[in-house]
Amino acid sequence: MCLPHAGSGAYQFRPWQELLGPDVALLAVQLPGRENRWREEPATTMAEVLDELAPALAARLDRPYMVFGHSMGALVGYELARVLGRAHSRWPSGFVASAARAPDAQGGPSRAVELSDQQLVAELVADGAVPAAVAANGRLAAAIARPLRGDITMCDSYTPPVADTLLPCPISAWRGQEDTGVTEDHVHRWSRCSTGTSTVRTFAGDHFYHLADPHKVTSELRSFIAGQLGPGS
């Protein structure tokens, strides 16, 4: 199961299915307000997302599964995995938090409500949280600003979970070496979110290393899957 970064959609994971191979089924989560769900209002709270996704996914997860969440997607994926486990007895076999701060290291609220669409996108590009190509295209910047505001509002209102609801599976935290917004300390703190083993992996690149070198990332993901489920699982 793959979840995208703020303002983005599931299409970015489409090439990964071929790269992962026929023995891995990729399920990319599409949040409302983007791509083929553009006409829907973006969610603004974590509860909205979980209330929609958890029952739908629980009905489809009839085999062992793992979660890969990038940036905001890691936060959503973590909370989703907890709900699937507690409410539906469908705990993941592994969790990968990519380019994401741990739940207890999210930082303060943003200034999104004070900014215009162009200012919002430009600020996030400067922070390395949105690809630079987005700001260069006025229509694209305007299109991404709508789901971005919803995602940012959701993250601003997020409250970290208490310590007695940890994932009972291995967790691996990944980051780009040049990602100044997600430091080594941020990713190491993901170890507190699981009762299983934890590892950290650093890739060449910035916040969007997973898009720059999908072959390398999917190769590592296949290795992580094989390490938990065995080859061909």
Side-chain angles (χ1 to χ4, degrees), residues 104-184:
D104 63 352
Q106 290 299 298
S110 69
R111 301 187 303 117
V113 295
E114 307 170 9
L115 306 175
S116 67
D117 289 352
Q118 285 187 320
Q119 289 173 328
L120 174 62
V121 173
E123 185 169 288
L124 291 173
V125 168
D127 291 341
V130 169
V134 173
N137 185 320
R139 294 182 63 183
L140 182 57
I144 199 175
R146 177 169 166 263
L148 260 176
R149 290 188 186 279
D151 294 344
I152 291 172
T153 300
M154 175 172 62
C155 292
D156 282 351
S157 63
Y158 174 74
T159 301
V162 295
D164 61 350
T165 51
L166 306 180
L167 296 183
C169 67
I171 188 168
S172 191
W174 299 357
R175 67 179 290 268
Q177 189 172 18
E178 300 168 19
D179 188 351
T180 57
V182 180
T183 66
E184 284 281 345

Side-chain angles (χ1 to χ4, degrees), residues 9-217:
Y11 184 80
Q12 65 184 278
F13 298 115
R14 187 175 181 180
W16 286 25
Q17 179 61 82
E18 182 177 353
L19 295 172
L20 287 170
D23 54 335
V24 176
L26 187 148
L27 178 61
V29 174
Q30 187 76 292
L31 298 179
R34 63 213 78 200
E35 294 178 356
N36 64 324
R37 300 187 66 183
W38 170 251
R39 295 183 181 276
E40 301 175 46
E41 283 298 314
T44 56
T45 67
M46 187 69 74
E48 288 179 75
V49 174
L50 301 180
D51 287 348
E52 177 197 8
L53 289 180
L57 288 169
R60 297 186 61 178
L61 296 173
D62 57 349
R63 297 182 180 183
Y65 76 97
M66 293 192 178
V67 177
F68 174 95
H70 186 81
S71 196
M72 181 201 75
L75 200 63
V76 176
Y78 177 65
E79 292 297 336
L80 182 59
R82 291 174 61 239
V83 172
L84 286 170
R86 294 197 320 269
H88 303 278
S89 299
R90 297 295 294 121
W91 293 103
S93 298
F95 183 85
V96 177
S98 170
R101 298 185 179 197
D104 63 352
Q106 290 299 298
S110 69
R111 301 187 303 117
V113 295
E114 307 170 9
L115 306 175
S116 67
D117 289 352
Q118 285 187 320
Q119 289 173 328
L120 174 62
V121 173
E123 185 169 288
L124 291 173
V125 168
D127 291 341
V130 169
V134 173
N137 185 320
R139 294 182 63 183
L140 182 57
I144 199 175
R146 177 169 166 263
L148 260 176
R149 290 188 186 279
D151 294 344
I152 291 172
T153 300
M154 175 172 62
C155 292
D156 282 351
S157 63
Y158 174 74
T159 301
V162 295
D164 61 350
T165 51
L166 306 180
L167 296 183
C169 67
I171 188 168
S172 191
W174 299 357
R175 67 179 290 268
Q177 189 172 18
E178 300 168 19
D179 188 351
T180 57
V182 180
T183 66
E184 284 281 345
D185 178 63
H186 291 143
V187 294
H188 275 286
R189 289 172 71 167
W190 275 103
S191 64
R192 306 176 186 179
C193 299
S194 171
T195 59
T197 59
S198 64
T199 56
V200 170
R201 176 76 169 86
T202 301
F203 294 80
D206 57 17
H207 192 68
F208 300 100
Y209 74 90
H210 71 306
L211 300 179
D213 193 354
H215 289 81
K216 180 65 174 177
V217 174

